[in-house]
mmCIF file of all heavy atoms in Angstrom:
data_model
loop_
_atom_site.group_PDB
_atom_site.id
_atom_site.type_symbol
_atom_site.label_atom_id
_atom_site.label_comp_id
_atom_site.label_asym_id
_atom_site.label_seq_id
_atom_site.Cartn_x
_atom_site.Cartn_y
_atom_site.Cartn_z
ATOM 1 N N MET A 1 -10.249 2.228 -18.188
ATOM 2 C CA MET A 1 -9.497 2.998 -17.208
ATOM 3 C C MET A 1 -9.896 2.592 -15.785
ATOM 4 O O MET A 1 -9.047 2.384 -14.945
ATOM 5 C CB MET A 1 -9.752 4.477 -17.468
ATOM 6 C CG MET A 1 -9.092 5.394 -16.510
ATOM 7 S SD MET A 1 -7.490 5.828 -17.161
ATOM 8 C CE MET A 1 -6.973 6.974 -15.986
ATOM 9 N N GLN A 2 -11.193 2.509 -15.558
ATOM 10 C CA GLN A 2 -11.672 2.131 -14.225
ATOM 11 C C GLN A 2 -11.254 0.708 -13.877
ATOM 12 O O GLN A 2 -10.899 0.428 -12.741
ATOM 13 C CB GLN A 2 -13.194 2.273 -14.162
ATOM 14 C CG GLN A 2 -13.769 2.017 -12.789
ATOM 15 C CD GLN A 2 -13.399 3.083 -11.780
ATOM 16 O OE1 GLN A 2 -13.262 4.238 -12.126
ATOM 17 N NE2 GLN A 2 -13.209 2.692 -10.539
ATOM 18 N N THR A 3 -11.252 -0.175 -14.859
ATOM 19 C CA THR A 3 -10.864 -1.565 -14.604
ATOM 20 C C THR A 3 -9.407 -1.654 -14.186
ATOM 21 O O THR A 3 -9.068 -2.368 -13.237
ATOM 22 C CB THR A 3 -11.105 -2.417 -15.858
ATOM 23 O OG1 THR A 3 -12.483 -2.328 -16.205
ATOM 24 C CG2 THR A 3 -10.736 -3.856 -15.610
ATOM 25 N N SER A 4 -8.537 -0.924 -14.859
ATOM 26 C CA SER A 4 -7.123 -0.976 -14.493
ATOM 27 C C SER A 4 -6.885 -0.353 -13.125
ATOM 28 O O SER A 4 -6.026 -0.805 -12.372
ATOM 29 C CB SER A 4 -6.262 -0.292 -15.554
ATOM 30 O OG SER A 4 -6.587 1.079 -15.634
ATOM 31 N N GLN A 5 -7.653 0.685 -12.772
ATOM 32 C CA GLN A 5 -7.525 1.275 -11.446
ATOM 33 C C GLN A 5 -7.958 0.267 -10.385
ATOM 34 O O GLN A 5 -7.288 0.117 -9.357
ATOM 35 C CB GLN A 5 -8.365 2.541 -11.336
ATOM 36 C CG GLN A 5 -8.258 3.214 -9.980
ATOM 37 C CD GLN A 5 -9.132 4.455 -9.870
ATOM 38 O OE1 GLN A 5 -9.867 4.796 -10.793
ATOM 39 N NE2 GLN A 5 -9.061 5.115 -8.747
ATOM 40 N N ASN A 6 -9.057 -0.424 -10.627
ATOM 41 C CA ASN A 6 -9.524 -1.424 -9.666
ATOM 42 C C ASN A 6 -8.534 -2.575 -9.533
ATOM 43 O O ASN A 6 -8.309 -3.076 -8.430
ATOM 44 C CB ASN A 6 -10.890 -1.961 -10.086
ATOM 45 C CG ASN A 6 -11.985 -0.939 -9.899
ATOM 46 O OD1 ASN A 6 -11.820 0.039 -9.178
ATOM 47 N ND2 ASN A 6 -13.098 -1.157 -10.556
ATOM 48 N N LEU A 7 -7.940 -2.991 -10.645
ATOM 49 C CA LEU A 7 -6.943 -4.062 -10.580
ATOM 50 C C LEU A 7 -5.716 -3.610 -9.797
ATOM 51 O O LEU A 7 -5.131 -4.387 -9.037
ATOM 52 C CB LEU A 7 -6.551 -4.496 -11.984
ATOM 53 C CG LEU A 7 -7.612 -5.279 -12.753
ATOM 54 C CD1 LEU A 7 -7.136 -5.525 -14.181
ATOM 55 C CD2 LEU A 7 -7.931 -6.585 -12.063
ATOM 56 N N GLY A 8 -5.317 -2.368 -9.956
ATOM 57 C CA GLY A 8 -4.189 -1.838 -9.190
ATOM 58 C C GLY A 8 -4.489 -1.800 -7.706
ATOM 59 O O GLY A 8 -3.636 -2.154 -6.875
ATOM 60 N N GLN A 9 -5.701 -1.388 -7.365
ATOM 61 C CA GLN A 9 -6.087 -1.359 -5.956
ATOM 62 C C GLN A 9 -6.116 -2.763 -5.367
ATOM 63 O O GLN A 9 -5.680 -2.979 -4.230
ATOM 64 C CB GLN A 9 -7.457 -0.691 -5.804
ATOM 65 C CG GLN A 9 -7.448 0.781 -6.068
ATOM 66 C CD GLN A 9 -8.843 1.380 -6.093
ATOM 67 O OE1 GLN A 9 -9.846 0.675 -6.130
ATOM 68 N NE2 GLN A 9 -8.897 2.699 -6.090
ATOM 69 N N MET A 10 -6.611 -3.698 -6.139
ATOM 70 C CA MET A 10 -6.657 -5.082 -5.663
ATOM 71 C C MET A 10 -5.243 -5.646 -5.491
ATOM 72 O O MET A 10 -4.984 -6.400 -4.552
ATOM 73 C CB MET A 10 -7.460 -5.957 -6.627
ATOM 74 C CG MET A 10 -8.940 -5.635 -6.641
ATOM 75 S SD MET A 10 -9.720 -5.879 -5.047
ATOM 76 C CE MET A 10 -9.645 -7.642 -4.919
ATOM 77 N N ALA A 11 -4.336 -5.283 -6.391
ATOM 78 C CA ALA A 11 -2.955 -5.761 -6.277
ATOM 79 C C ALA A 11 -2.297 -5.210 -5.013
ATOM 80 O O ALA A 11 -1.621 -5.949 -4.279
ATOM 81 C CB ALA A 11 -2.160 -5.368 -7.517
ATOM 82 N N VAL A 12 -2.490 -3.926 -4.740
ATOM 83 C CA VAL A 12 -1.903 -3.320 -3.539
ATOM 84 C C VAL A 12 -2.496 -3.947 -2.283
ATOM 85 O O VAL A 12 -1.774 -4.271 -1.335
ATOM 86 C CB VAL A 12 -2.111 -1.787 -3.549
ATOM 87 C CG1 VAL A 12 -1.735 -1.172 -2.218
ATOM 88 C CG2 VAL A 12 -1.309 -1.152 -4.668
ATOM 89 N N MET A 13 -3.801 -4.151 -2.271
ATOM 90 C CA MET A 13 -4.437 -4.784 -1.112
ATOM 91 C C MET A 13 -3.959 -6.224 -0.940
ATOM 92 O O MET A 13 -3.751 -6.685 0.183
ATOM 93 C CB MET A 13 -5.964 -4.760 -1.268
ATOM 94 C CG MET A 13 -6.573 -3.393 -1.126
ATOM 95 S SD MET A 13 -6.458 -2.749 0.536
ATOM 96 C CE MET A 13 -7.563 -3.827 1.380
ATOM 97 N N GLY A 14 -3.772 -6.931 -2.055
ATOM 98 C CA GLY A 14 -3.283 -8.302 -1.981
ATOM 99 C C GLY A 14 -1.881 -8.391 -1.418
ATOM 100 O O GLY A 14 -1.583 -9.251 -0.593
ATOM 101 N N VAL A 15 -1.011 -7.493 -1.858
ATOM 102 C CA VAL A 15 0.370 -7.479 -1.349
ATOM 103 C C VAL A 15 0.383 -7.126 0.135
ATOM 104 O O VAL A 15 1.107 -7.733 0.930
ATOM 105 C CB VAL A 15 1.239 -6.511 -2.177
ATOM 106 C CG1 VAL A 15 2.582 -6.283 -1.515
ATOM 107 C CG2 VAL A 15 1.412 -7.029 -3.588
ATOM 108 N N ALA A 16 -0.421 -6.139 0.515
ATOM 109 C CA ALA A 16 -0.475 -5.748 1.931
ATOM 110 C C ALA A 16 -0.999 -6.899 2.794
ATOM 111 O O ALA A 16 -0.472 -7.158 3.880
ATOM 112 C CB ALA A 16 -1.344 -4.511 2.102
ATOM 113 N N ALA A 17 -2.012 -7.601 2.313
ATOM 114 C CA ALA A 17 -2.550 -8.740 3.067
ATOM 115 C C ALA A 17 -1.527 -9.866 3.162
ATOM 116 O O ALA A 17 -1.391 -10.506 4.211
ATOM 117 C CB ALA A 17 -3.828 -9.243 2.411
ATOM 118 N N ALA A 18 -0.788 -10.095 2.073
ATOM 119 C CA ALA A 18 0.238 -11.140 2.093
ATOM 120 C C ALA A 18 1.344 -10.802 3.082
ATOM 121 O O ALA A 18 1.810 -11.674 3.835
ATOM 122 C CB ALA A 18 0.810 -11.341 0.697
ATOM 123 N N VAL A 19 1.772 -9.549 3.104
ATOM 124 C CA VAL A 19 2.821 -9.136 4.058
ATOM 125 C C VAL A 19 2.314 -9.253 5.489
ATOM 126 O O VAL A 19 3.031 -9.726 6.377
ATOM 127 C CB VAL A 19 3.292 -7.694 3.744
ATOM 128 C CG1 VAL A 19 4.129 -7.124 4.869
ATOM 129 C CG2 VAL A 19 4.071 -7.678 2.445
ATOM 130 N N PHE A 20 1.068 -8.851 5.714
ATOM 131 C CA PHE A 20 0.485 -8.955 7.047
ATOM 132 C C PHE A 20 0.469 -10.407 7.522
ATOM 133 O O PHE A 20 0.895 -10.718 8.633
ATOM 134 C CB PHE A 20 -0.936 -8.380 7.028
ATOM 135 C CG PHE A 20 -1.648 -8.462 8.338
ATOM 136 C CD1 PHE A 20 -1.301 -7.623 9.383
ATOM 137 C CD2 PHE A 20 -2.669 -9.371 8.531
ATOM 138 C CE1 PHE A 20 -1.950 -7.699 10.602
ATOM 139 C CE2 PHE A 20 -3.324 -9.457 9.740
ATOM 140 C CZ PHE A 20 -2.965 -8.612 10.770
ATOM 141 N N ASN A 21 0.003 -11.299 6.658
ATOM 142 C CA ASN A 21 -0.047 -12.718 7.020
ATOM 143 C C ASN A 21 1.342 -13.326 7.157
ATOM 144 O O ASN A 21 1.551 -14.223 7.977
ATOM 145 C CB ASN A 21 -0.877 -13.493 5.998
ATOM 146 C CG ASN A 21 -2.346 -13.210 6.134
ATOM 147 O OD1 ASN A 21 -2.854 -13.084 7.237
ATOM 148 N ND2 ASN A 21 -3.036 -13.092 5.014
ATOM 149 N N LEU A 22 2.291 -12.845 6.358
ATOM 150 C CA LEU A 22 3.664 -13.324 6.464
ATOM 151 C C LEU A 22 4.255 -12.967 7.830
ATOM 152 O O LEU A 22 4.884 -13.805 8.483
ATOM 153 C CB LEU A 22 4.513 -12.711 5.344
ATOM 154 C CG LEU A 22 5.952 -13.174 5.242
ATOM 155 C CD1 LEU A 22 5.993 -14.613 4.744
ATOM 156 C CD2 LEU A 22 6.710 -12.274 4.293
ATOM 157 N N PHE A 23 4.038 -11.715 8.266
ATOM 158 C CA PHE A 23 4.535 -11.301 9.581
ATOM 159 C C PHE A 23 3.903 -12.127 10.689
ATOM 160 O O PHE A 23 4.589 -12.571 11.606
ATOM 161 C CB PHE A 23 4.241 -9.811 9.812
ATOM 162 C CG PHE A 23 5.336 -8.895 9.360
ATOM 163 C CD1 PHE A 23 5.565 -8.675 8.012
ATOM 164 C CD2 PHE A 23 6.137 -8.244 10.275
ATOM 165 C CE1 PHE A 23 6.566 -7.831 7.584
ATOM 166 C CE2 PHE A 23 7.143 -7.389 9.867
ATOM 167 C CZ PHE A 23 7.363 -7.189 8.515
ATOM 168 N N LEU A 24 2.588 -12.334 10.610
ATOM 169 C CA LEU A 24 1.920 -13.119 11.649
ATOM 170 C C LEU A 24 2.325 -14.587 11.587
ATOM 171 O O LEU A 24 2.407 -15.255 12.611
ATOM 172 C CB LEU A 24 0.401 -12.984 11.517
ATOM 173 C CG LEU A 24 -0.174 -11.608 11.834
ATOM 174 C CD1 LEU A 24 -1.691 -11.625 11.675
ATOM 175 C CD2 LEU A 24 0.213 -11.143 13.223
ATOM 176 N N GLY A 25 2.607 -15.079 10.382
ATOM 177 C CA GLY A 25 3.040 -16.464 10.232
ATOM 178 C C GLY A 25 4.401 -16.731 10.846
ATOM 179 O O GLY A 25 4.684 -17.833 11.299
ATOM 180 N N PHE A 26 5.256 -15.717 10.838
ATOM 181 C CA PHE A 26 6.576 -15.866 11.443
ATOM 182 C C PHE A 26 6.544 -15.678 12.950
ATOM 183 O O PHE A 26 7.578 -15.714 13.605
ATOM 184 C CB PHE A 26 7.569 -14.867 10.843
ATOM 185 C CG PHE A 26 8.062 -15.266 9.482
ATOM 186 C CD1 PHE A 26 8.211 -14.311 8.494
ATOM 187 C CD2 PHE A 26 8.387 -16.571 9.178
ATOM 188 C CE1 PHE A 26 8.669 -14.656 7.234
ATOM 189 C CE2 PHE A 26 8.846 -16.934 7.925
ATOM 190 C CZ PHE A 26 8.981 -15.967 6.960
ATOM 191 N N GLY A 27 5.361 -15.435 13.505
ATOM 192 C CA GLY A 27 5.242 -15.296 14.953
ATOM 193 C C GLY A 27 5.516 -13.896 15.455
ATOM 194 O O GLY A 27 5.745 -13.702 16.645
ATOM 195 N N SER A 28 5.471 -12.930 14.578
ATOM 196 C CA SER A 28 5.702 -11.546 14.966
ATOM 197 C C SER A 28 4.504 -11.034 15.765
ATOM 198 O O SER A 28 3.393 -11.548 15.673
ATOM 199 C CB SER A 28 5.899 -10.690 13.712
ATOM 200 O OG SER A 28 6.053 -9.342 14.057
ATOM 201 N N ALA A 29 4.740 -9.984 16.522
ATOM 202 C CA ALA A 29 3.644 -9.349 17.261
ATOM 203 C C ALA A 29 2.711 -8.643 16.273
ATOM 204 O O ALA A 29 3.038 -8.461 15.102
ATOM 205 C CB ALA A 29 4.213 -8.357 18.266
ATOM 206 N N ASP A 30 1.555 -8.253 16.753
ATOM 207 C CA ASP A 30 0.565 -7.622 15.883
ATOM 208 C C ASP A 30 1.024 -6.261 15.361
ATOM 209 O O ASP A 30 0.780 -5.929 14.205
ATOM 210 C CB ASP A 30 -0.757 -7.442 16.620
ATOM 211 C CG ASP A 30 -1.495 -8.748 16.796
ATOM 212 O OD1 ASP A 30 -1.133 -9.726 16.126
ATOM 213 O OD2 ASP A 30 -2.445 -8.786 17.602
ATOM 214 N N LEU A 31 1.677 -5.471 16.192
ATOM 215 C CA LEU A 31 2.038 -4.105 15.794
ATOM 216 C C LEU A 31 2.960 -4.059 14.581
ATOM 217 O O LEU A 31 2.683 -3.304 13.632
ATOM 218 C CB LEU A 31 2.651 -3.353 16.972
ATOM 219 C CG LEU A 31 3.015 -1.888 16.698
ATOM 220 C CD1 LEU A 31 1.775 -1.098 16.313
ATOM 221 C CD2 LEU A 31 3.684 -1.280 17.905
ATOM 222 N N PRO A 32 4.041 -4.828 14.523
ATOM 223 C CA PRO A 32 4.869 -4.785 13.312
ATOM 224 C C PRO A 32 4.127 -5.268 12.067
ATOM 225 O O PRO A 32 4.334 -4.733 10.973
ATOM 226 C CB PRO A 32 6.041 -5.719 13.628
ATOM 227 C CG PRO A 32 6.092 -5.812 15.096
ATOM 228 C CD PRO A 32 4.687 -5.638 15.564
ATOM 229 N N ALA A 33 3.246 -6.220 12.225
ATOM 230 C CA ALA A 33 2.467 -6.713 11.081
ATOM 231 C C ALA A 33 1.545 -5.628 10.560
ATOM 232 O O ALA A 33 1.457 -5.388 9.349
ATOM 233 C CB ALA A 33 1.669 -7.949 11.483
ATOM 234 N N TYR A 34 0.847 -4.961 11.463
ATOM 235 C CA TYR A 34 -0.037 -3.867 11.046
ATOM 236 C C TYR A 34 0.760 -2.705 10.461
ATOM 237 O O TYR A 34 0.337 -2.090 9.475
ATOM 238 C CB TYR A 34 -0.883 -3.369 12.216
ATOM 239 C CG TYR A 34 -2.069 -4.242 12.514
ATOM 240 C CD1 TYR A 34 -2.129 -4.989 13.684
ATOM 241 C CD2 TYR A 34 -3.135 -4.330 11.630
ATOM 242 C CE1 TYR A 34 -3.212 -5.791 13.964
ATOM 243 C CE2 TYR A 34 -4.227 -5.126 11.900
ATOM 244 C CZ TYR A 34 -4.263 -5.856 13.072
ATOM 245 O OH TYR A 34 -5.339 -6.657 13.342
ATOM 246 N N ALA A 35 1.895 -2.383 11.050
ATOM 247 C CA ALA A 35 2.713 -1.276 10.542
ATOM 248 C C ALA A 35 3.214 -1.563 9.139
ATOM 249 O O ALA A 35 3.192 -0.674 8.268
ATOM 250 C CB ALA A 35 3.888 -1.024 11.491
ATOM 251 N N ALA A 36 3.644 -2.775 8.885
ATOM 252 C CA ALA A 36 4.125 -3.127 7.549
ATOM 253 C C ALA A 36 2.997 -3.087 6.528
ATOM 254 O O ALA A 36 3.152 -2.552 5.426
ATOM 255 C CB ALA A 36 4.764 -4.517 7.579
ATOM 256 N N ALA A 37 1.847 -3.625 6.891
ATOM 257 C CA ALA A 37 0.708 -3.655 5.961
ATOM 258 C C ALA A 37 0.213 -2.249 5.658
ATOM 259 O O ALA A 37 0.006 -1.888 4.493
ATOM 260 C CB ALA A 37 -0.415 -4.499 6.545
ATOM 261 N N PHE A 38 0.030 -1.424 6.671
ATOM 262 C CA PHE A 38 -0.457 -0.063 6.428
ATOM 263 C C PHE A 38 0.603 0.799 5.755
ATOM 264 O O PHE A 38 0.279 1.705 4.985
ATOM 265 C CB PHE A 38 -0.936 0.581 7.724
ATOM 266 C CG PHE A 38 -2.268 0.058 8.169
ATOM 267 C CD1 PHE A 38 -2.385 -0.575 9.386
ATOM 268 C CD2 PHE A 38 -3.388 0.165 7.371
ATOM 269 C CE1 PHE A 38 -3.606 -1.078 9.807
ATOM 270 C CE2 PHE A 38 -4.607 -0.327 7.779
ATOM 271 C CZ PHE A 38 -4.722 -0.952 8.997
ATOM 272 N N GLY A 39 1.866 0.525 6.022
ATOM 273 C CA GLY A 39 2.931 1.234 5.307
ATOM 274 C C GLY A 39 2.874 0.954 3.817
ATOM 275 O O GLY A 39 3.027 1.860 2.990
ATOM 276 N N LEU A 40 2.618 -0.302 3.459
ATOM 277 C CA LEU A 40 2.478 -0.639 2.042
ATOM 278 C C LEU A 40 1.244 0.007 1.423
ATOM 279 O O LEU A 40 1.245 0.361 0.246
ATOM 280 C CB LEU A 40 2.410 -2.149 1.864
ATOM 281 C CG LEU A 40 3.730 -2.884 2.032
ATOM 282 C CD1 LEU A 40 3.510 -4.380 1.955
ATOM 283 C CD2 LEU A 40 4.715 -2.455 0.962
ATOM 284 N N LEU A 41 0.194 0.165 2.207
ATOM 285 C CA LEU A 41 -1.014 0.818 1.692
ATOM 286 C C LEU A 41 -0.795 2.311 1.468
ATOM 287 O O LEU A 41 -1.456 2.922 0.625
ATOM 288 C CB LEU A 41 -2.189 0.601 2.650
ATOM 289 C CG LEU A 41 -2.705 -0.829 2.744
ATOM 290 C CD1 LEU A 41 -3.791 -0.922 3.800
ATOM 291 C CD2 LEU A 41 -3.220 -1.310 1.408
ATOM 292 N N LEU A 42 0.128 2.897 2.209
ATOM 293 C CA LEU A 42 0.402 4.329 2.059
ATOM 294 C C LEU A 42 1.320 4.646 0.881
ATOM 295 O O LEU A 42 1.312 5.769 0.390
ATOM 296 C CB LEU A 42 1.030 4.883 3.340
ATOM 297 C CG LEU A 42 0.095 5.052 4.513
ATOM 298 C CD1 LEU A 42 0.889 5.488 5.739
ATOM 299 C CD2 LEU A 42 -0.988 6.056 4.203
ATOM 300 N N VAL A 43 2.086 3.684 0.427
ATOM 301 C CA VAL A 43 3.072 3.936 -0.639
ATOM 302 C C VAL A 43 2.439 4.516 -1.904
ATOM 303 O O VAL A 43 2.917 5.543 -2.405
ATOM 304 C CB VAL A 43 3.888 2.660 -0.944
ATOM 305 C CG1 VAL A 43 4.681 2.796 -2.220
ATOM 306 C CG2 VAL A 43 4.798 2.338 0.222
ATOM 307 N N PRO A 44 1.359 3.939 -2.450
ATOM 308 C CA PRO A 44 0.794 4.524 -3.675
ATOM 309 C C PRO A 44 0.274 5.948 -3.481
ATOM 310 O O PRO A 44 0.419 6.791 -4.359
ATOM 311 C CB PRO A 44 -0.351 3.577 -4.050
ATOM 312 C CG PRO A 44 -0.054 2.315 -3.355
ATOM 313 C CD PRO A 44 0.684 2.681 -2.117
ATOM 314 N N SER A 45 -0.315 6.233 -2.323
ATOM 315 C CA SER A 45 -0.837 7.575 -2.058
ATOM 316 C C SER A 45 0.285 8.592 -1.947
ATOM 317 O O SER A 45 0.191 9.696 -2.493
ATOM 318 C CB SER A 45 -1.652 7.582 -0.764
ATOM 319 O OG SER A 45 -2.730 6.699 -0.871
ATOM 320 N N VAL A 46 1.337 8.233 -1.246
ATOM 321 C CA VAL A 46 2.483 9.142 -1.099
ATOM 322 C C VAL A 46 3.160 9.370 -2.445
ATOM 323 O O VAL A 46 3.535 10.499 -2.786
ATOM 324 C CB VAL A 46 3.477 8.594 -0.054
ATOM 325 C CG1 VAL A 46 4.767 9.380 -0.041
ATOM 326 C CG2 VAL A 46 2.835 8.581 1.314
ATOM 327 N N LEU A 47 3.285 8.319 -3.230
ATOM 328 C CA LEU A 47 3.880 8.448 -4.557
ATOM 329 C C LEU A 47 3.037 9.361 -5.447
ATOM 330 O O LEU A 47 3.576 10.250 -6.121
ATOM 331 C CB LEU A 47 4.040 7.073 -5.193
ATOM 332 C CG LEU A 47 4.653 7.038 -6.585
ATOM 333 C CD1 LEU A 47 6.062 7.609 -6.562
ATOM 334 C CD2 LEU A 47 4.653 5.627 -7.124
ATOM 335 N N ALA A 48 1.733 9.168 -5.444
ATOM 336 C CA ALA A 48 0.852 10.005 -6.264
ATOM 337 C C ALA A 48 0.897 11.457 -5.818
ATOM 338 O O ALA A 48 0.931 12.371 -6.650
ATOM 339 C CB ALA A 48 -0.575 9.475 -6.201
ATOM 340 N N ALA A 49 0.918 11.687 -4.515
ATOM 341 C CA ALA A 49 0.973 13.062 -4.013
ATOM 342 C C ALA A 49 2.296 13.733 -4.372
ATOM 343 O O ALA A 49 2.322 14.900 -4.774
ATOM 344 C CB ALA A 49 0.775 13.073 -2.501
ATOM 345 N N SER A 50 3.394 13.008 -4.256
ATOM 346 C CA SER A 50 4.690 13.610 -4.586
ATOM 347 C C SER A 50 4.808 13.884 -6.082
ATOM 348 O O SER A 50 5.373 14.904 -6.491
ATOM 349 C CB SER A 50 5.834 12.727 -4.104
ATOM 350 O OG SER A 50 5.822 11.500 -4.803
ATOM 351 N N LEU A 51 4.266 13.006 -6.907
ATOM 352 C CA LEU A 51 4.291 13.258 -8.351
ATOM 353 C C LEU A 51 3.386 14.427 -8.729
ATOM 354 O O LEU A 51 3.707 15.192 -9.647
ATOM 355 C CB LEU A 51 3.879 11.997 -9.115
ATOM 356 C CG LEU A 51 4.899 10.865 -9.096
ATOM 357 C CD1 LEU A 51 4.311 9.635 -9.782
ATOM 358 C CD2 LEU A 51 6.189 11.284 -9.765
ATOM 359 N N ALA A 52 2.272 14.577 -8.043
ATOM 360 C CA ALA A 52 1.368 15.699 -8.324
ATOM 361 C C ALA A 52 2.031 17.032 -7.967
ATOM 362 O O ALA A 52 1.925 17.995 -8.721
ATOM 363 C CB ALA A 52 0.077 15.537 -7.545
ATOM 364 N N VAL A 53 2.729 17.063 -6.848
ATOM 365 C CA VAL A 53 3.434 18.287 -6.464
ATOM 366 C C VAL A 53 4.544 18.598 -7.448
ATOM 367 O O VAL A 53 4.728 19.750 -7.861
ATOM 368 C CB VAL A 53 4.005 18.155 -5.022
ATOM 369 C CG1 VAL A 53 4.970 19.273 -4.707
ATOM 370 C CG2 VAL A 53 2.867 18.098 -4.030
ATOM 371 N N ARG A 54 5.248 17.583 -7.869
ATOM 372 C CA ARG A 54 6.343 17.769 -8.820
ATOM 373 C C ARG A 54 5.814 18.268 -10.168
ATOM 374 O O ARG A 54 6.403 19.161 -10.789
ATOM 375 C CB ARG A 54 7.092 16.470 -8.997
ATOM 376 C CG ARG A 54 8.274 16.570 -9.897
ATOM 377 C CD ARG A 54 9.013 15.259 -9.940
ATOM 378 N NE ARG A 54 10.018 15.321 -10.994
ATOM 379 C CZ ARG A 54 10.453 14.292 -11.650
ATOM 380 N NH1 ARG A 54 9.995 13.104 -11.366
ATOM 381 N NH2 ARG A 54 11.354 14.420 -12.572
ATOM 382 N N ALA A 55 4.713 17.698 -10.639
ATOM 383 C CA ALA A 55 4.146 18.105 -11.922
ATOM 384 C C ALA A 55 3.566 19.516 -11.835
ATOM 385 O O ALA A 55 3.605 20.273 -12.810
ATOM 386 C CB ALA A 55 3.062 17.126 -12.342
ATOM 387 N N ARG A 56 3.055 19.891 -10.696
ATOM 388 C CA ARG A 56 2.453 21.217 -10.532
ATOM 389 C C ARG A 56 3.518 22.308 -10.496
ATOM 390 O O ARG A 56 3.269 23.418 -10.928
ATOM 391 C CB ARG A 56 1.645 21.245 -9.247
ATOM 392 C CG ARG A 56 0.677 22.353 -9.131
ATOM 393 C CD ARG A 56 -0.338 21.953 -8.059
ATOM 394 N NE ARG A 56 -1.412 22.817 -7.827
ATOM 395 C CZ ARG A 56 -2.427 23.074 -8.631
ATOM 396 N NH1 ARG A 56 -2.436 22.558 -9.822
ATOM 397 N NH2 ARG A 56 -3.423 23.839 -8.276
ATOM 398 N N SER A 57 4.685 22.012 -9.980
ATOM 399 C CA SER A 57 5.723 23.031 -9.833
ATOM 400 C C SER A 57 6.433 23.353 -11.135
ATOM 401 O O SER A 57 7.110 24.361 -11.231
ATOM 402 C CB SER A 57 6.748 22.584 -8.771
ATOM 403 O OG SER A 57 7.454 21.471 -9.251
ATOM 404 N N THR A 58 6.305 22.519 -12.162
ATOM 405 C CA THR A 58 7.014 22.792 -13.419
ATOM 406 C C THR A 58 6.149 23.500 -14.415
ATOM 407 O O THR A 58 5.006 23.614 -14.401
ATOM 408 C CB THR A 58 7.499 21.484 -14.077
ATOM 409 O OG1 THR A 58 6.405 20.608 -14.275
ATOM 410 C CG2 THR A 58 8.563 20.849 -13.229
#
């Protein structure tokens, strides 16, 4: 269980780093690159929180 959680975290961090580098590679300013990367990092947390609220209400 812990191994799969760590692999999931590494996958999310890898995707966020790739998007960050992609934005900087295209010559974008720093702010959009950081916003895209941190937005991707927030997706799993927001999804987990919304599913927890949904499961709690039923």
Side-chain angles (χ1 to χ4, degrees):
M1 178 91 175
Q2 185 69 33
T3 302
S4 63
Q5 181 182 3
N6 289 342
L7 289 174
Q9 290 172 348
M10 291 299 291
V12 170
M13 289 292 291
V15 169
V19 167
F20 179 73
N21 287 321
L22 184 71
F23 269 73
L24 292 181
F26 283 139
S28 177
D30 286 346
L31 183 61
Y34 281 112
F38 284 119
L40 285 175
L41 292 176
L42 286 175
V43 167
S45 300
V46 171
L47 180 61
S50 65
L51 289 175
V53 168
R54 183 176 170 208
R56 197 161 184 69
S57 67
T58 56

